[in-house]
Amino acid sequence: MLITAFNHRLDVLFAVVAQDSEFTETSERRGNVTVIRDAKSGALVGMNFFHPADILGSDVLHDGQVKLGEADVAKLNTALANAGFAERLTADPKPYLVVGFVKELKKHPNSDHLKIAQVDVGEEKPRQIVVGSPNVAEGQKVVAALPGAFMPSGKIIWPGELRGVPSYGMLCAPRELALPNAPQKPGLLILPADAPVGAAFIPANFKLTY
């Protein structure tokens, strides 16, 4: 996993490779690179690159999530090596906002409004996702945000639990995807029936109505 986002005001490129743990993180800065590790395990959590235009050039940088290719990641790894860090990043072309198919829907045992969905996202097994949207139904094509998705709000989707039930993603409303003229009320974005399961959700590729 590699999630990268640029903050123009701070002039920092944030790179996230793992979910924060319950343990305190430690950080180490050398020059314009900071490496963040889990304090207990020492596992890499993320990195901050200050003044990233000096590394990547300004053309690829814009506020919010930045998708980097292998050549860009190689430049970041060179900066890491030059700073004396042993850690390296790996490019991640996998889409994390994808077309999902709601195969099965059950009532949540501990909630009147939540439901437990089994969602086909083109993987070997369906993903279990707890959903609270009032319009969710079996047989729908929807947008699934998988763990590692960076939402327009800046939120990163991670595995978790809702009322004691594990959930491995999120089904998305138009407003959560920051779509133009999205209604500001609960309700999933329902995709056309012919939307290909597992395909990356790119709004321009779909005829959207809501």
Side-chain angles (χ1 to χ4, degrees):
M1 176 186 300
L2 176 60
I3 306 165
T4 47
F6 178 59
N7 185 305
H8 179 268
R9 183 176 62 84
L10 299 177
D11 198 15
V12 179
L13 180 75
F14 302 97
V16 178
V17 300
Q19 184 176 8
D20 295 345
S21 75
E22 60 184 292
F23 303 104
T24 304
E25 297 171 352
T26 62
S27 63
E28 180 183 3
R29 180 165 179 172
R30 301 178 186 175
N32 286 329
V33 181
T34 296
V35 169
I36 304 163
R37 305 180 182 91
D38 182 278
K40 184 175 181 180
S41 68
L44 181 65
V45 174
M47 302 174 180
N48 297 336
F49 296 88
F50 299 89
H51 313 301
D54 295 341
I55 303 170
L56 299 171
S58 59
D59 291 345
V60 301
L61 297 173
H62 54 82
D63 275 323
Q65 185 175 21
V66 178
K67 297 295 286 185
L68 300 179
E70 291 187 4
D72 298 315
V73 173
K75 293 177 182 178
L76 295 179
N77 284 335
T78 297
L80 283 165
N82 290 341
F85 288 112
E87 289 89 350
R88 297 293 182 268
L89 298 171
T90 301
D92 183 7
K94 175 184 174 181
Y96 288 91
L97 286 174
V98 301
V99 177
F101 174 73
V102 182
K103 295 185 66 174
E104 182 182 292
L105 204 59
K106 293 183 178 180
K107 291 184 64 176
H108 192 294
N110 302 315
S111 172
D112 293 332
H113 74 281
L114 295 176
K115 296 180 177 65
I116 304 170
Q118 302 298 327
V119 185
D120 181 0
V121 293
E123 299 174 336
E124 185 177 348
K125 296 180 180 180
R127 295 256 182 171
Q128 178 170 288
I129 299 176
V130 178
V131 55
S133 294
N135 66 333
V136 64
E138 290 183 358
Q140 290 173 333
K141 297 283 184 70
V142 295
V143 180
L146 305 182
F150 186 94
M151 304 302 291
S153 65
K155 176 183 178 181
I156 298 175
I157 303 301
W158 298 113
E161 288 189 1
L162 286 174
R163 299 280 184 93
V165 174
S167 183
Y168 302 96
M170 182 178 78
L171 303 186
C172 302
R175 61 179 178 173
E176 292 167 327
L177 298 167
L179 296 176
N181 303 313
Q184 298 302 302
K185 61 182 181 180
L188 298 181
L189 175 64
I190 309 303
L191 298 176
D194 60 355
V197 172
F201 174 69
I202 300 172
N205 293 348
F206 298 89
K207 186 177 180 179
L208 303 178
T209 57
Y210 41 82

